[in-house]
Amino acid sequence: MSIFGPETAGLLLASSSTISTMIKQFLAKIPRKSSKANATDADGGSSSTSVTTDVGNNGFINTYNAISSRLNTVKKMSSSIFPASIMPAGEMIDPQIPFKDVQNSEKLRLLISKLNLCSKLYDFQDPAQDSVEKDIKRQTLVEIIDFLSSESAKLSEPAMFAICKMCGNNLFRDFPPKNSVYSPRGEAEDEEPSFDPAWSHLHLVYEILLRFLSQTSLDPKVAKQYIDHSFILRLLDLFDTEDPRERDCLKAILHRVYGKFMVHRPFIRMVVSNIIYRFVFETEKHNGIAELLEIFGSVISGFALPLKKEHKMFLLRALVPLHKPKSVGVYHHQLTYCIVQFIEKEPKLSSDVIKGLLKFWPVTSSQKQLMFLSELEELLEMIHTDEFEKVMVPLFRRIDCCLRSSHFQVAERAHFLWNNEHVLHLIMYNRQVIMPLVFSSLERNSQNHWSRTVLNLAQNMMKMLNDVDQELVVSCQGQSEEDKSTSTVAAERRRLTWERLENIAGFQPVVGNVSVLEETATCIVSC
């Protein structure tokens, strides 16, 4: 006879069932090895069938299956987000396999593998060192170029990251210090450019970056995560390379970046402005100013009207001061084109530009004077009458100095301004102010200049002026005679003053109460 009643026996059975369920749940929460878990998933969850014998465990098993499927999804996503360089070794593809030997679904992984191979750098100072590896890398770079040229599929984010990483590792580097010595005229004595020995690889890397940026399927919103401010800053630093081939590649790439990534345009303009500031006011040494100005020539032509204050400041604070360095002849053509683009956009800026030009006008360099006169003629062709009247007095005072220049090419170029129809119209419209400023120089050149070309030009100008306004010529002649007489009187006064000083210098200091006069010793001056 049992001491427990039927109710007590039922309670014991229920409690034992609950305990067994709790034990099974505890054992199920113990982590399993990954290989067994994968086998379980591959079998369709066969291990869970042994647990489902109890109907009360269905909720736990469903939760376990959901968590397992999410873990597998996260695992697959991690393989697609990170490049192959950080994938498990078993999932990497041999980078030397051709693209044609893999399926389309595996081509992006193969591309990442090849990019990781090309990220390794080699020393090109010794051509014999690592020659086999260098050739393998070169062939791999060519394969990547062909793949980017032929494939129309959209690149994944890991592929974008791998391309930018490979390009950065190969391109971003420090240049050796510049040893070029500048002559008194501001020209480098050694004009031979230095070529990078690694160009056989570098030009292929530049081609890959250009093909990547030129893809129509490239989404700037996604690619800007990798083509960021740091990448652009390092890219602009490369313009200081001495290799002209590399500067040409950089010019094409920067143009693509500026056109595709609108969000980076203000940053690019700011960095280029800082490069110009440092060049003008600090170092006066930079190899890529001409290329940067060539890019900005097309950028300025796309500025919307009215011009922003930022753009006007770039003209007046960056472009105009570029006339100051001694090496302005290297980039003067590109600089003139940029300034002309600004004047075509907003002609009211012409007077401010001419004032800046006069501020940096050269005094001793005849070659720079010729360049400034050519640029000045282009600006005067576009200037309006009201803007011209603001600067005509200081402008033609400077032109008068050029007419009287001892360098015949400078004097000849200044006389050629009168051959421009628009400039001649401006001069004749304001001849009452302009002609008295330059008449004496024109008259002197028309009488006895040693250069036949300057003499003929000056005589033609005097004849034309007589035909247009003879009264003004007579008035200017009278003013010129008065100026000559005044200058003669001033010269005679200076001569007498110097004679008196020389006589006073012949007396020695007083010795006691006697003043002693001695003959002035002959002074021999060696030049």
Side-chain angles (χ1 to χ4, degrees):
M1 183 178 179
S2 175
I3 60 176
F4 300 103
E7 294 83 4
T8 306
L11 290 173
L12 290 175
L13 290 175
S15 61
S16 62
S17 175
T18 303
I19 293 172
S20 62
T21 302
M22 292 175 63
I23 293 174
K24 291 179 181 179
Q25 291 179 359
F26 175 78
L27 293 175
K29 291 182 180 181
I30 297 176
R32 297 176 174 84
K33 294 183 179 180
S34 58
S35 59
K36 293 182 179 180
N38 292 338
T40 301
D41 296 336
D43 295 336
S46 59
S47 61
S48 62
T49 56
S50 61
V51 186
T52 54
T53 54
D54 195 340
V55 179
N57 295 334
N58 286 338
F60 168 75
I61 295 304
N62 293 335
T63 304
Y64 172 78
N65 290 335
I67 293 175
S68 299
S69 62
R70 289 186 180 181
L71 289 174
N72 292 331
T73 304
V74 171
K75 185 177 181 181
K76 295 178 181 178
M77 289 177 62
S78 64
S79 301
S80 63
I81 291 177
F82 298 100
S85 59
I86 58 175
M87 287 182 182
E91 298 184 6
M92 291 186 65
I93 302 178
D94 185 4
Q96 299 186 19
I97 298 177
F99 282 101
K100 62 180 180 179
D101 294 344
V102 298
Q103 299 178 356
N104 292 333
S105 59
E106 300 292 331
K107 285 186 176 180
L108 287 180
R109 293 179 58 206
L110 179 59
L111 172 64
I112 295 174
S113 182
K114 290 180 179 292
L115 290 169
N116 291 329
L117 173 66
C118 295
S119 296
K120 186 176 180 180
L121 304 181
Y122 298 97
D123 184 10
F124 281 84
Q125 299 298 332
D126 184 7
Q129 183 180 357
D130 300 326
S131 58
V132 177
E133 290 80 359
K134 292 176 184 176
D135 188 61
I136 293 175
K137 179 178 177 180
R138 186 189 62 80
Q139 294 177 0
T140 306
L141 290 171
V142 173
E143 292 179 4
I144 295 173
I145 293 174
D146 295 337
F147 175 79
L148 295 177
S149 303
S150 60
E151 291 294 326
S152 59
K154 184 178 179 181
L155 292 176
S156 61
E157 290 192 35
M160 295 181 189
F161 173 77
I163 289 175
C164 294
K165 179 183 177 182
M166 186 274 294
C167 293
N169 290 342
N170 285 271
L171 301 179
F172 300 155
R173 62 203 188 279
D174 295 328
F175 298 117
K178 302 174 185 178
N179 297 323
S180 58
V181 180
Y182 283 82
S183 63
R185 294 185 178 182
E187 299 174 353
E189 294 181 357
D190 186 11
E191 296 291 343
E192 292 295 330
S194 62
F195 299 99
D196 198 310
W199 183 247
S200 59
H201 285 185
L202 289 178
H203 84 278
L204 297 175
V205 177
Y206 277 116
E207 185 66 22
I208 290 174
L209 183 57
L210 184 61
R211 297 290 177 89
F212 167 64
L213 295 171
S214 303
Q215 283 196 331
T216 56
S217 60
L218 182 65
D219 187 2
K221 296 181 180 179
V222 178
K224 71 179 182 181
Q225 305 175 30
Y226 313 107
I227 307 293
D228 55 3
H229 286 181
S230 176
F231 188 93
I232 294 173
L233 185 62
R234 297 292 301 275
L235 191 70
L236 287 170
D237 288 340
L238 294 176
F239 273 91
D240 200 18
T241 177
E242 295 184 6
D243 196 332
R245 303 169 299 179
E246 185 170 5
R247 295 200 299 268
D248 288 338
C249 294
L250 287 166
K251 184 172 59 177
I253 289 173
L254 182 61
H255 189 80
R256 290 285 184 180
V257 172
Y258 192 92
K260 180 144 322 232
F261 299 92
M262 296 184 63
V263 67
H264 292 327
R265 290 182 180 181
F267 179 77
I268 294 175
R269 292 195 296 266
M270 182 191 69
V271 175
V272 172
S273 299
N274 292 336
I275 292 174
I276 294 176
Y277 297 153
R278 191 180 306 113
F279 168 70
V280 173
F281 301 109
E282 295 181 11
T283 63
E284 290 196 5
K285 293 180 181 179
H286 197 282
N287 297 309
I289 297 297
E291 286 76 12
L292 290 173
L293 291 176
E294 188 172 347
I295 296 172
F296 267 75
S298 58
V299 170
I300 294 168
S301 62
F303 284 165
L305 294 177
L307 291 176
K308 298 180 181 179
K309 183 179 179 181
E310 172 200 351
H311 300 157
K312 296 179 183 179
M313 291 298 101
F314 178 75
L315 168 66
L316 299 177
R317 295 184 180 179
L319 295 184
V320 173
L322 277 173
H323 294 88
K324 175 180 177 289
K326 299 177 181 179
S327 58
V328 63
V330 177
Y331 54 83
H332 184 260
H333 176 72
Q334 293 84 354
L335 176 61
T336 302
Y337 179 77
C338 290
I339 292 178
V340 167
Q341 292 294 314
F342 266 108
I343 303 302
E344 288 181 351
K345 289 282 184 180
E346 192 163 332
K348 291 183 179 180
L349 295 171
S350 56
S351 60
D352 295 328
V353 173
I354 292 177
K355 290 178 183 178
L357 202 63
L358 296 176
K359 177 181 178 181
F360 299 106
W361 196 278
V363 178
T364 59
S365 176
S366 57
Q367 297 300 321
K368 287 183 68 174
Q369 288 180 2
L370 292 173
M371 290 186 290
F372 277 47
L373 286 170
S374 300
E375 181 180 355
L376 180 63
E377 184 176 359
E378 291 191 41
L379 297 177
L380 291 176
E381 288 179 352
M382 299 180 294
I383 195 170
H384 293 172
T385 304
D386 53 345
E387 296 296 325
F388 176 76
E389 292 175 354
K390 296 178 182 179
V391 296
M392 63 181 178
V393 174
L395 173 61
F396 277 87
R397 283 176 180 167
R398 175 56 63 184
I399 292 176
D400 180 64
C401 296
C402 296
L403 292 172
R404 292 185 282 106
S405 175
S406 57
H407 197 288
F408 78 98
Q409 290 181 337
V410 176
E412 180 181 329
R413 189 65 185 85
H415 283 81
F416 274 134
L417 291 175
W418 272 258
N419 292 344
N420 188 297
E421 294 184 1
H422 184 69
V423 176
L424 181 61
H425 172 74
L426 293 173
I427 293 174
M428 290 304 167
Y429 186 79
N430 300 277
R431 61 182 180 273
Q432 299 294 336
V433 178
I434 295 174
M435 293 313 300
L437 299 174
V438 299
F439 183 83
S440 60
S441 300
L442 292 175
E443 187 179 30
R444 182 170 56 253
N445 290 341
S446 64
Q447 293 174 356
N448 56 2
H449 199 280
W450 64 270
S451 174
R452 177 59 60 179
T453 303
V454 176
L455 181 66
N456 294 334
L457 288 171
Q459 289 176 351
N460 292 335
M461 291 166 59
M462 292 297 297
K463 182 180 178 181
M464 177 185 61
L465 188 58
N466 274 311
D467 295 339
V468 173
D469 195 341
Q470 190 174 4
E471 294 181 0
L472 179 60
V473 173
V474 173
S475 175
C476 291
Q477 287 176 344
Q479 183 65 35
S480 179
E481 293 297 331
E482 292 181 5
D483 293 340
K484 287 180 181 179
S485 61
T486 303
S487 62
T488 302
V489 171
E492 182 65 18
R493 187 183 300 112
R494 285 194 302 270
R495 187 185 66 82
L496 294 175
T497 302
W498 279 110
E499 287 183 357
R500 186 165 60 253
L501 291 173
E502 289 175 358
N503 293 332
I504 295 174
F507 289 94
Q508 293 296 324
V510 177
V511 179
N513 297 326
V514 181
S515 177
V516 181
L517 176 64
E518 294 182 356
E519 292 184 0
T520 306
T522 304
C523 181
I524 301 175
V525 180
S526 60
C527 298

